[in-house]
Amino acid sequence: MSSSRFTPKGFPSVPLQNGIGRYICQLKRVTLRFCKSSGSSRGVRDFIETELISFAQDHPGTVVYLKPRRHKSPSFVAEYLNGEREVISCHNFSSHEMIKWLNLYATRSGIPLKRYLKMWHTECPSIQGVWSPFTNMDPALNITQFPSKKLSNPVWEEKSATEELLEKVKQQKISSDDENDDDNTHSNRAAQV
């Protein structure tokens, strides 16, 4: 048995970390091949007349080529940035079906379809398992009644400039009161002698 009959398997992957900085559409070129007179190409011709311009405006990074071929079945070729190429037969497609299929291929990454071994993969596996926001949470939260006054307050709150000035004024008053008390005790002692 040849290995081409089996579905390839692997892990999910993203081309060139796509979407971390900005998203780049991976579909670079679409070639619509159709016959000008064949009945099986009618949906493709309707799509070209009514929806092609809006599709091109929605996907400015994708080049669309039209290739009329006499007495051939209609199809379109999707070419991706990673060099992958897919040919899809459009025999007796309607204009609506063309829109659906082209949108599907415009949102794909171009990576060949495969059966996933796991839904995630890492090059450096951890014995702790997959991290989640609840990994290091306090277990007391499991029995906390919500809404909670303690958890409603901010975890870390910066003092405002007004509060800092008021604290400095209080410290100065306390230190000046202490100095006044020291002066009074010295004068009282001097008066006693």
Side-chain angles (χ1 to χ4, degrees):
M1 294 193 147
S2 67
S3 61
S4 63
R5 296 183 64 186
F6 298 106
T7 305
K9 51 190 170 185
F11 299 102
S13 59
V14 178
L16 302 172
Q17 305 297 318
N18 195 14
I20 291 178
R22 67 185 177 99
Y23 174 74
I24 299 171
C25 181
Q26 297 296 299
L27 182 65
K28 70 173 179 179
R29 184 180 302 129
V30 173
T31 306
L32 296 172
R33 303 186 295 196
F34 63 99
C35 178
K36 290 182 179 180
S37 59
S38 172
S40 61
S41 297
R42 181 176 180 186
V44 179
R45 291 193 305 266
D46 289 345
F47 170 78
I48 292 169
E49 291 174 6
T50 58
E51 302 293 334
L52 181 63
I53 292 174
S54 62
F55 175 80
Q57 288 172 345
D58 291 342
H59 303 89
T62 303
V63 181
V64 180
Y65 292 109
L66 300 178
K67 188 175 182 183
R69 304 181 313 161
R70 202 175 281 199
H71 309 303
K72 299 270 183 162
S73 182
S75 63
F76 72 87
V77 181
E79 297 178 50
Y80 292 93
L81 290 175
N82 63 357
E84 290 292 325
R85 187 173 186 268
E86 293 196 38
V87 180
I88 298 90
S89 173
C90 305
H91 190 77
N92 290 332
F93 272 21
S94 67
S95 176
H96 185 67
E97 287 176 314
M98 284 294 298
I99 294 168
K100 284 172 42 177
W101 278 98
L102 282 171
N103 283 330
L104 171 72
Y105 280 91
T107 54
R108 287 201 46 215
S109 65
I111 297 171
L113 296 175
K114 56 189 165 190
R115 185 171 57 87
Y116 288 154
L117 297 173
K118 290 182 183 175
M119 292 308 291
W120 56 272
H121 175 68
T122 179
E123 297 298 328
C124 306
S126 167
I127 59 169
Q128 297 171 345
V130 181
W131 181 88
S132 77
F134 305 105
T135 299
N136 298 318
M137 296 295 277
D138 183 14
L141 290 175
N142 293 336
I143 56 171
T144 303
Q145 293 292 327
F146 291 100
S148 167
K149 292 220 178 219
K150 179 184 173 190
L151 296 175
S152 300
N153 296 330
V155 177
W156 179 75
E157 193 173 88
E158 194 173 312
K159 291 181 184 176
S160 67
T162 307
E163 291 172 345
E164 286 185 20
L165 285 174
L166 290 173
E167 283 184 12
K168 287 184 180 180
V169 168
K170 283 181 186 177
Q171 288 175 353
Q172 286 177 353
K173 281 185 181 179
I174 292 171
S175 62
S176 64
D177 289 343
D178 289 343
E179 289 174 7
N180 290 339
D181 290 341
D182 290 342
D183 291 342
N184 289 339
T185 54
H186 287 300
S187 62
N188 289 341
R189 284 187 191 160
Q192 288 176 357
V193 174

